[in-house]
Amino acid sequence: MVQNNIKKNHMDIYWHDYADSLGNIPITNAGLVEKASIIGRTGLMLLSCGTGAWRVRSSMNTMSECMGLTCTADIGLMSINYTCFDGEACFSQSLCLTNTGVNNSKLTRLENFINDFVGRCDSLTCEQVHNELEKIHGLYSPPVLGLAAALACGAFTFLLGGGLTEMICAFFGAGIGNYVRSKFTKHHLTLVLGIVASVSAGCLSNAGLFELAKTLFNIKMQHEAGYICAMLFIIPGFPFITSGIDLSKLDMRSGIERLTYALIIIIVATMTAWLMALILHLTPMDFLPLHLTLWQFILFRLAASFCGVFGFSVMFNSPVKLAASAAVIGALANTLRLELVDLVSFPPAAAAFVGAFTAGILASLLKKYVGYPRISITVPSIVIMVPGLYLYKAFYNLGVMSLETSASWLASALLIILA
């Protein structure tokens, strides 16, 4: 029997060692090091949810004020360097994540914990706080995350112009692809390997199902265009949007690191999809026209936008109530965006700005009633507007040296993302 002797690159932190000698002393009466350990661990857990630097720092500040400390923090995508002061001494620490991701359920529970901590810190011990933090974890299993991606990408296919055949193929392709990615993430395998495996699985599944449908039902080759939609689950909308939020608040380190992380995913994913297209002899083409009336388009777009945002929100580990709230906002904002392009001839970037602005305003109004962090509502509702199809076509045309076409698709994608 072969033993696995590979050591973990990131060593475990034994948080309870900070609390072992304190007994039942309230955390407010503990020493500087023990208080700082609580602040650092909470900040690191928030960072692991995919939220931006401003929100992480704000939560660390709230906990610091409750315990009579001053805290400064330099926050990136994967690490926090922070210092706590109590008026007499200071304590500095560097903490690092093993991986990053998006988890709205965990983010919500952490924010609730911090809000409750304000009123309970006088009665909690250091050991109790660490025990409560350990109970806050993820929500969904890989099969559920695969189903969520299937729903999101199937709906996304219609919004991009695809019909029922393309939607069914994208549904199964994206579901299998995101299931593979979730399993790779669960086993802490490297980011690039997970992207390559999941995009390849999605494209292969989509192409295989299409060939089967073509043999059984003699469908047209033009329906092959939907293979692109089977990989759109990989588009990193959450890091893209939080990088913009951080940059706008001058959290330059976090913003640039998140943007770089998003670009790595996009480059690896689009390159993998391009190579799969060459292997499988797939060519991006326009969808066949859908013969629907104006009101049919609007109603189907509302439904597809709702399903797409709901699926993406569940992919971000949002509870059902939160996912449904984001889906309602996303359905209204994204349908408005699409109709502005079709009916008023708005430029796509300008329509994207109006749609994103509408989603932000609606989320701000809804937040007080649903009790969830605003970012957990706004980001899933806006992610569906990220032009993954444009980014893929830009890279595909670059690969076949159609430089003018590639530049056109890339410029359109960048304008929409910036908006």
Side-chain angles (χ1 to χ4, degrees), residues 45-46 49 106-114 133 136:
M45 289 179 70
L46 281 163
C49 299
K106 186 176 178 181
L107 173 61
T108 300
R109 284 179 282 174
L110 279 168
E111 291 218 341
N112 290 337
F113 167 79
I114 293 166
L133 288 173
I136 301 175

Side-chain angles (χ1 to χ4, degrees), residues 236-305:
F238 213 102
F240 250 141
I241 295 167
T242 51
S243 72
I245 293 172
D246 282 343
L247 289 171
S248 69
K249 296 179 181 294
L250 296 183
D251 275 311
M252 304 302 290
R253 176 190 167 196
S254 178
I256 292 171
E257 288 182 13
R258 288 175 190 279
L259 181 59
T260 304
Y261 171 74
L263 290 175
I264 289 172
I265 294 175
I266 288 172
I267 292 170
V268 175
T270 51
M271 180 177 287
T272 303
W274 171 61
L275 292 173
M276 292 303 299
L278 294 180
I279 294 169
L280 299 173
H281 305 291
L282 303 172
T283 305
M285 58 185 78
D286 294 332
F287 291 105
L288 290 173
L290 299 175
H291 302 291
L292 299 173
T293 66
L294 173 61
W295 287 108
Q296 285 174 332
F297 259 120
I298 292 175
L299 291 175
F300 283 133
R301 280 173 171 173
L302 283 169
S305 297

Side-chain angles (χ1 to χ4, degrees), residues 4 6 78 98-100 179-198 261:
N4 183 7
I6 299 176
M78 300 281 290
T98 59
N99 202 353
T100 186
Y179 172 79
V180 171
R181 182 174 70 156
S182 301
K183 293 294 285 186
F184 273 60
T185 302
K186 187 176 181 179
H187 292 288
H188 305 289
L189 297 174
T190 181
L191 172 68
V192 173
L193 180 60
I195 297 170
V196 172
S198 59
Y261 171 74

Side-chain angles (χ1 to χ4, degrees), residues 37 62-63 88 92 123 177 196 211 230 248 254 273 308 310 317 365 377 419:
S37 73
T62 298
M63 298 190 74
E88 297 179 357
S92 298
S123 59
V196 172
E211 288 298 321
S248 69
S254 178
F310 185 88
N317 278 281
L365 296 175
I377 304 173

Side-chain angles (χ1 to χ4, degrees), residues 27-89:
I27 187 64
T28 49
N29 295 332
L32 174 61
V33 175
E34 289 79 12
K35 292 177 179 178
S37 73
I38 297 292
I39 296 167
R41 186 178 191 183
T42 305
L44 197 66
M45 289 179 70
L46 281 163
L47 192 63
S48 71
C49 299
T51 191
W54 186 89
R55 187 171 295 275
V56 175
R57 186 181 295 106
S58 177
S59 298
M60 293 174 72
N61 291 345
T62 298
M63 298 190 74
S64 300
E65 290 170 358
C66 292
M67 294 185 284
L69 301 181
T70 300
C71 179
T72 65
D74 179 27
I75 301 166
L77 172 68
M78 300 281 290
S79 61
I80 300 176
N81 302 318
Y82 73 105
T83 301
C84 291
F85 306 84
D86 66 357
E88 297 179 357

Side-chain angles (χ1 to χ4, degrees), residues 80-396:
I80 300 176
N81 302 318
Y82 73 105
T83 301
C84 291
F85 306 84
D86 66 357
E88 297 179 357
C90 65
F91 176 81
S92 298
Q93 200 166 37
S94 296
L95 300 174
C96 187
L97 293 171
T98 59
N99 202 353
T100 186
V102 181
N103 194 320
N104 279 334
S105 174
K106 186 176 178 181
L107 173 61
T108 300
R109 284 179 282 174
L110 279 168
E111 291 218 341
N112 290 337
F113 167 79
I114 293 166
N115 292 334
D116 293 341
F117 182 83
V118 173
R120 296 192 302 142
C121 60
D122 291 332
S123 59
L124 289 172
T125 67
C126 187
E127 182 73 16
Q128 287 173 332
V129 175
H130 283 298
N131 286 335
E132 288 193 21
L133 288 173
E134 286 168 1
K135 296 176 183 177
I136 301 175
H137 48 74
L139 191 61
Y140 297 117
S141 63
V144 176
L145 294 175
L147 183 61
L151 177 65
C153 291
F156 214 152
T157 305
F158 175 79
L159 296 172
L160 292 172
L164 184 61
T165 301
E166 293 92 334
M167 291 172 67
I168 293 173
C169 291
F171 180 91
F172 286 99
I176 293 170
N178 200 48
Y179 172 79
V180 171
R181 182 174 70 156
S182 301
K183 293 294 285 186
F184 273 60
T185 302
K186 187 176 181 179
H187 292 288
H188 305 289
L189 297 174
T190 181
L191 172 68
V192 173
L193 180 60
I195 297 170
V196 172
S198 59
V199 171
S200 300
C203 290
L204 280 170
S205 303
N206 183 282
L209 185 60
F210 177 77
E211 288 298 321
L212 179 62
K214 189 169 66 172
T215 302
L216 295 177
F217 305 109
N218 195 30
I219 61 176
K220 295 180 180 179
M221 277 297 297
Q222 285 87 340
H223 292 293
E224 187 184 77
Y227 83 91
I228 301 171
C229 303
M231 57 155 282
L232 294 180
F233 65 87
I234 204 72
I235 298 300
F238 213 102
F240 250 141
I241 295 167
T242 51
S243 72
I245 293 172
D246 282 343
L247 289 171
S248 69
K249 296 179 181 294
L250 296 183
D251 275 311
M252 304 302 290
R253 176 190 167 196
S254 178
I256 292 171
E257 288 182 13
R258 288 175 190 279
L259 181 59
T260 304
Y261 171 74
L263 290 175
I264 289 172
I265 294 175
I266 288 172
I267 292 170
V268 175
T270 51
M271 180 177 287
T272 303
W274 171 61
L275 292 173
M276 292 303 299
L278 294 180
I279 294 169
L280 299 173
H281 305 291
L282 303 172
T283 305
M285 58 185 78
D286 294 332
F287 291 105
L288 290 173
L290 299 175
H291 302 291
L292 299 173
T293 66
L294 173 61
W295 287 108
Q296 285 174 332
F297 259 120
I298 292 175
L299 291 175
F300 283 133
R301 280 173 171 173
L302 283 169
S305 297
F306 180 93
C307 292
V309 174
F310 185 88
F312 278 121
S313 194
V314 171
M315 281 175 60
F316 299 151
N317 278 281
S318 300
V320 173
K321 183 181 176 182
L322 171 55
S325 301
V328 171
I329 291 174
L332 296 173
N334 192 55
T335 303
L336 173 63
R337 173 182 74 95
L338 295 172
E339 297 308 323
L340 285 174
V341 174
D342 286 352
L343 300 181
V344 195
S345 299
F346 258 46
F353 175 82
V354 174
F357 182 78
T358 302
I361 295 298
L362 291 175
S364 297
L365 296 175
L366 186 64
K367 178 181 179 293
K368 65 179 72 173
Y369 299 107
V370 296
Y372 292 114
R374 183 169 50 196
I375 194 172
S376 300
I377 304 173
T378 54
V379 173
S381 63
I382 296 173
V383 161
I384 201 167
M385 303 179 192
V386 175
L389 177 65
Y390 289 22
L391 292 168
Y392 170 72
K393 286 190 174 183
F395 195 92
Y396 180 91

